Amino acid sequence: MNRPASRSEPQLLVPSLFFIALVVAAVGSLGAPLITSVATTFQVSLSSAQWTLTITLLSGAIATPVLGRLGAGPHRRGTILATLAVVVAGSALTVLPLSFAWLLVGRSAQGIGLGLTALMMGVARDHLPEERGSATIALVSVASTIGIGVGYPLAGLLTELGGLRVAYGLGGFVTAVAFLAALRSMPVPPEGRSARVDVPGAILLVGGLFLVLLLASETSLWSRHVRLAVVLAALAVLLLCAWTAYERRTASPLVDVRLVRHRAVAVANVVTLVGGVGMYLLLTLITRYAQTPRSTGYGFGLTTFAAGLVLVPFSLLGFIAGRFTPRLRERVGAPLSLAGSASVVLGAFVLFAVARSNVADLLVAMAILGFGVGSFSAAMPAVILAVTPQSETSSAMSFNQVVRSVGFSLGSAVGGLVLAAGTDSGQLFPTDAAYTTAAWIGAAATAAAALTTFALARERMAATVR
C-alpha cells in the first residue's frame, strides 16, 4: 500500500482521530434531544425547532464530498484545522444569547464537521502501519456512529441542570479540545497529491443532495404539498443523474464514480444506505416510545435525560463491537462480517416489535442495535478500501458518509411518517400498533441488507475457491 515503514507515528495520533470523529458526531446529534427545549426557549414551533437537527445533516452531507476531495490532497491538515475552526465558531453562535436564526447558522457550521470522519480515515491509512491503520479506520467509523448515543444523555442532563445554552456550551468546549488535539497531532500528508476540486460536479451533487435531504426531513411536503414534493423529487433525480454523467467524463472528478460502480463498493454503499435507515429509524422509535406518557396506555414517560440514558447501551456495545470486529473480519472476511452485523440489527428490530413491556426490553434492544451497528460500521470501510487506491481513501469514504447521512434522514422520515399515520384524529400520540408497524418495516429493510451482503460474501468465497 506504499506506506513507509520508517515513518514514525505522530504522537497521540490514534486517540486524536477517534476523539475528533466522536466529537463531531456527538455535536451533530445535539439537535435531536434539544428540539423541545429549543421550541420553548425561542418560542418557535416544534417543526421549526426540528431544523436545528435537519440543518446539521444538510450542511454535513453537502460539505462531506468537498472535504473528502480536499482531504485527498496536500492541504489535508489545513482542511481539518479550518473545518474544526468553523465548528468551534458555530458552537459559539449556539451559546451566545442570539436569535433563533443565528442558532440555525451555528448548527449549520457545526454540521460541516460531520465531513471530517472520512479525512480521519485517510490520515490513518497514510500514516499508520497497515494492520494498525485498518483497526483505527474501523474504530473511527464506529466513533462516528456511537457519538450519537454519547451526545443524547449528556445534552439531556445539561439541559435539565442549566438550560439549553449550557447543553450547547458542552459542544463548544469539546470541539475546542478537538481543535487543539488536531493542531498538535495531525501530520502533513504524503507528497505528490493533488486536490483540484471539481466545482461543477460539486454544485450538481450539492443541489441533488440538498433536495433529497429536504424531502426526507420535511415530511409535511408529502402530506400538504404533494405536487411540489414530486417536482422537487424529480429535480433531485435529474441533478444526481447529471452529476453522475459529468463525473464519468471529467478528468478530476469530485468522486471517482468508477470506484463507486465497483460491485463491492456499490453493494457496500447500498447496504450503508439501508443500514442508516434502519439505525435511525429504531433510534427514533425507542427514544419516542420511552418518553411517551404512561397515560396513553403504553410508554414509560421518561424525561429527556432518562430517555438519553437508554442510548448508553447502544454506545457501549457499539464500542465493544468496534474493537472486536477487526479480528472477526480477518477470519471470515469483511462481506460476511458485514452480513452478520446486519443480521444483529435485524434482531434488535424484531425484539422491539414483539417485546417492549418494560424499560429493560428497550435497553436490551438498544444494546443489540449498538453491537450490530458498531460491528457494521467497523466492517464497512474494509469492503470499500479493499478496492480503493490509498490516495482516494478520503474521497471514497466521504461518499460513503454522504450515503449514510441520507440513510439517517430517510430513517428519521420513515419513522415520523409511520407514527404520524398511526396517530388518531385529535390525538397527540400515535397508537402502540404504529410502533409495531414501523419496527417491522425497519426489519424488512434490514433483512434485505443482510441478504444482499450474504450474496456478496458468497460471491467473494466462490471467487477465492476458483
Side-chain angles (χ1 to χ4, degrees), residues 13 40 86 149 159 262 269 302 370 403 413:
L13 178 60
T40 55
V86 170
T159 301
H262 188 284
N269 283 321
L302 301 184
V403 171

Side-chain angles (χ1 to χ4, degrees), residues 39-51:
T40 55
T41 301
F42 289 91
Q43 307 211 335
V44 297
S45 65
L46 285 173
S47 61
S48 296
Q50 177 74 29
W51 271 92

Side-chain angles (χ1 to χ4, degrees), residues 215 221-222 225-236:
L215 290 168
L221 283 172
W222 295 99
H225 308 284
V226 179
R227 291 183 181 178
L228 175 61
V230 171
V231 170
L232 292 177
L235 180 58

Side-chain angles (χ1 to χ4, degrees), residues 92 225 258 294 448:
H225 308 284
R258 291 170 299 178
R294 291 181 181 273

